[in-house]
Amino acid sequence: MVAHLKNKNKESQWFGYKRVKPDEKARLVETVFDSVASRYDLMNDLMSGGIHRLWKNRLVAMLRPSASKLLLDVAGGTGDIAFRYRQQLRCNINGGEAAAGDKTHITICDINKEMLDVGKDRAINRGYLKGFKWVVGNAESLPFADNSYHLYTISFGLRNVPKIDDALEEAYRVLKPGGQFFCLEFSQVTNPALRKIYDEYSFRVIPKIGEVIANDRNSYQYLVESIRQFPNQTELAARMKKAGFEKVRYINLSGGIAAIHTGIKL
Ligand SMILES: C[S@@+](CC[C@H](N)C(=O)[O-])C[C@H]1O[C@@H](n2cnc3c(N)ncnc32)[C@H](O)[C@@H]1O
């Protein structure tokens, strides 16, 4: 292994407010999502008052779903982005449900099998029997060939990945020339007054909801802390450019509580 890669693998990372080795972060993140998988969707609604749905809808509208595009949704978890994409595709094409099944080409990749299993069950409950591939894989070393996808999405996933730059490089690698990258992630609230209220809510209320509903205060404490350690809007944009993306832009959602970053592989 070349020296810089060796060093990269040793550099400590934030796990919430703790510094840990990258391998340890991966293991701890896995424990978090093993623990929350069955309550993950309910918790998202409770914590955000349903607002995460609006953010995800916004992301999917930006993807402009079409039958000719291959979508890779990394850290796809329980399938939220994939299902929204398919719903939107169904509206965009003729032929209704049957055609949508044939024309959906979505790969959902996640490091955590438990999360994907919940996603597969949700797909079956919705009658979505075709069009989805569920793949266990790591965003830092994707099990896909170069230049494979038109669209790459990562929604509330990048914050959990120990080596963000590796994940960005992998996103760039698997996208086709002209392919588009989209990252929806918690970000930095721009208005100081709103930031104060948001911090109060995050640190006081969210771990409590985690304790009561998911019987897991620590995982939700991690969530709140990990948001504070994630690169802000301009830092993430700079790191995307470093990975090779061009036309890098971002939009803030709900005053910067979340942001969508986009870039193109030219
Ligand atoms: C907060 S959930 C987001 C799920 C879904 N994308 C959504 O928006 O609802 C984060 C997901 O990232 C996955 N994850 C964490 N580290 C990962 C990695 N290195 N590679 C791929 N997935 C990862 C977790 O297993 C979890 O399913």
Side-chain angles (χ1 to χ4, degrees), residues 31-194:
T31 314
V32 166
F33 289 102
D34 276 348
S35 161
V36 303
S38 62
R39 293 283 166 121
Y40 175 76
D41 297 299
L42 172 65
M43 279 297 296
N44 276 349
D45 278 334
L46 287 177
M47 285 184 308
S48 73
I51 290 172
H52 76 107
R53 291 169 181 258
L54 304 179
W55 297 337
K56 287 172 177 169
N57 288 345
R58 181 80 186 269
L59 169 70
V60 170
M62 289 168 75
L63 298 173
R64 290 194 267 134
S66 104
S68 60
K69 290 179 185 169
L70 303 178
L71 165 65
L72 173 62
D73 183 36
V74 173
T78 60
D80 254 15
I81 299 303
F83 299 153
R84 280 180 168 72
Y85 186 94
R86 191 185 190 284
Q87 271 165 6
Q88 189 58 50
L89 180 66
R90 190 187 157 185
C91 298
N92 294 356
I93 58 172
N94 295 324
E97 191 50 43
D102 289 333
K103 290 179 178 168
T104 301
H105 309 288
I106 308 176
T107 303
I108 301 119
C109 175
D110 197 286
I111 204 164
N112 192 305
K113 189 176 171 305
E114 305 276 328
M115 292 289 280
L116 292 179
D117 285 346
V118 173
K120 283 182 207 169
D121 286 347
R122 291 177 83 204
I124 292 167
N125 290 342
R126 284 162 192 244
Y128 292 167
L129 305 178
K130 287 202 263 179
F132 299 104
K133 268 194 245 163
W134 303 86
V135 178
V136 175
N138 188 340
E140 294 168 354
S141 52
L142 292 170
F144 308 112
D146 299 357
N147 308 318
S148 303
Y149 292 93
H150 300 97
L151 299 171
Y152 173 111
T153 50
I154 184 160
S155 157
F156 301 114
L158 198 54
R159 183 174 32 89
N160 299 294
V161 174
K163 289 173 260 163
I164 292 173
D165 298 311
D166 288 11
L168 293 173
E169 282 169 22
E170 277 293 89
Y172 189 87
R173 180 183 68 76
V174 300
L175 276 169
K176 293 174 185 287
Q180 292 172 282
F181 171 91
F182 295 82
C183 171
L184 167 60
E185 189 51 90
F186 289 109
S187 204
Q188 196 171 98
V189 175
T190 48
N191 177 309
L194 176 61

Side-chain angles (χ1 to χ4, degrees), residues 15 28 31-33 35-36 207 216-224 226:
F15 175 76
L28 291 167
T31 314
V32 166
F33 289 102
S35 161
V36 303
D216 183 353
R217 185 185 180 91
N218 291 345
S219 293
Y220 288 90
Q221 183 72 31
Y222 158 71
L223 166 75
V224 171
S226 66

